[in-house]
Amino acid sequence: MTHSPQVVTVTRVARAGVALAAAVVLAGCSSGSSDVEPTSFGSSADAAPRLRVEVQDTRPHDPTAFTQGFEISDGEIVEGTGLEGRSYISARDLDSGVERVRVPLAGDMFGEGLTVAGDTVWQLTWKEGVAFARDRDTLAERSRVSYDGEGWGLCAQPDRLVMSNGSDTLTFRDRESFEATGSVRVTLDGLPLDQLNELECTDDGAVYANVWQTSEIVRIDPATGAVTAVIDASGLLTPEQAAGADVLNGIAAIPGTDRFLITGKFYPVTFDVRFVS
């Protein structure tokens, strides 16, 4: 179903260092509304630009999918989901939505972010400290490696992987071995920004990140860690849709365009959007 372009207005902007959901147990998930309102703060002359979302189209999304990783690759959406006993990775046609392959994770694994790096799909787990290297075509496991700490989001740049763990730090990793090669602290208007979740690396070198427990996406310069834009994606769901949904989580750049697909945990809809001023 196609919609006329819709502009979602910027409301209140979350600033760095704010603890938005200290009591929530699951990393990258909550049982509350999908439209958690950010906290309001003042702005300064050198503040990162605030952008809004312009909806170009909508597509169906599986409302039972607890989305953790979301990426477009070779005309397919590769999606990973979470929750113990319900985690899986799948690939489906970008245009038709027809699923080609789905591979479940072991029942004790909580799936998290993923990314495609050449002929390998890397998939994180939350607290298990395991990253799976999967065949891009079959999604079958080739190997697995261990890492310290939690796994949240992951994306691929031409020369490295970028990983989040819920803190204000992005860790760079080798595309082949998954070994850590460096890191950068993320700041918004000069202050640390944590709760960085699902990631998307774009061709211009930027890294986009969902900020967990908010309806905001930030654009990050990975060379400095500075947030270069804050995008408000609140108000996308109708009240009826929001009643069964969880938080925004899922960003996928549409190749060859200036548009993105965005969705969330238990969202019944994926939105085809532009980020505009």
Side-chain angles (χ1 to χ4, degrees):
M1 180 172 63
T2 301
H3 289 253
S4 299
Q6 165 193 354
V7 173
V8 179
T9 311
V10 175
T11 56
R12 295 186 292 171
V13 179
R15 293 296 297 272
V18 178
L20 293 171
V24 180
V25 176
L26 295 179
C29 63
S30 80
S31 60
S33 165
S34 65
D35 285 321
V36 176
E37 270 202 280
T39 303
S40 179
F41 286 83
S43 60
S44 62
D46 58 351
R50 270 55 180 174
L51 305 180
R52 62 188 188 275
V53 170
E54 184 180 77
V55 176
Q56 306 296 306
D57 199 358
T58 61
R59 306 163 188 241
H61 182 251
D62 182 357
T64 69
F66 194 77
T67 304
Q68 300 284 57
F70 196 66
E71 187 161 322
I72 296 173
S73 169
D74 294 329
E76 292 186 317
I77 297 176
V78 183
E79 183 169 6
T81 70
L83 301 177
E84 289 185 2
R86 296 173 58 182
S87 297
Y88 63 83
I89 182 173
S90 68
R92 64 182 183 273
D93 185 79
L94 176 62
D95 295 323
S96 70
V98 174
E99 186 173 85
R100 180 179 62 81
V101 60
R102 176 183 294 204
V103 177
L105 274 67
D108 59 346
M109 292 285 183
F110 193 117
E112 282 281 349
L114 60 77
T115 195
V116 179
D119 63 355
T120 299
V121 180
W122 284 104
Q123 183 182 23
L124 302 175
T125 52
W126 176 30
K127 287 189 173 181
E128 292 76 21
V130 173
F132 296 97
R134 299 182 177 277
D135 180 82
R136 169 61 189 90
D137 183 48
T138 66
L139 302 183
E141 179 184 344
R142 287 176 177 165
S143 61
R144 61 179 70 181
V145 298
S146 298
Y147 57 85
D148 294 328
E150 296 183 359
W152 285 39
L154 192 67
C155 68
Q157 295 185 315
D159 58 345
R160 63 188 180 183
L161 305 176
V162 185
M163 175 178 165
S164 65
N165 62 6
S167 72
D168 63 351
T169 298
L170 295 178
T171 300
F172 306 124
R173 294 186 176 276
D174 185 88
R175 286 169 57 107
E176 301 295 330
S177 69
F178 210 73
E179 289 292 325
T181 60
S183 63
V184 67
R185 301 286 293 276
V186 176
T187 59
L188 170 58
D189 301 341
L191 299 174
L193 179 65
D194 60 7
Q195 306 298 303
L196 303 172
N197 202 359
E198 210 269 330
L199 304 179
E200 176 72 0
C201 294
T202 51
D203 290 342
D204 60 3
V207 175
Y208 288 77
N210 284 113
V211 182
W212 180 48
Q213 281 295 94
T214 80
S215 294
E216 292 180 343
I217 297 166
V218 292
R219 186 181 67 206
I220 303 164
D221 178 354
T224 64
V227 170
T228 60
V230 178
I231 303 111
D232 179 20
S234 63
L236 292 173
L237 298 178
T238 67
E240 293 76 18
Q241 291 170 332
D246 206 289
V247 294
L248 188 78
N249 200 53
I251 320 162
I254 302 176
T257 75
D258 62 350
R259 307 195 320 275
F260 295 79
L261 295 184
I262 60 175
T263 193
K265 305 172 189 296
F266 301 146
Y267 269 37
V269 179
T270 296
F271 297 91
D272 182 332
V273 304
R274 295 176 63 239
F275 301 145
V276 298
S277 58

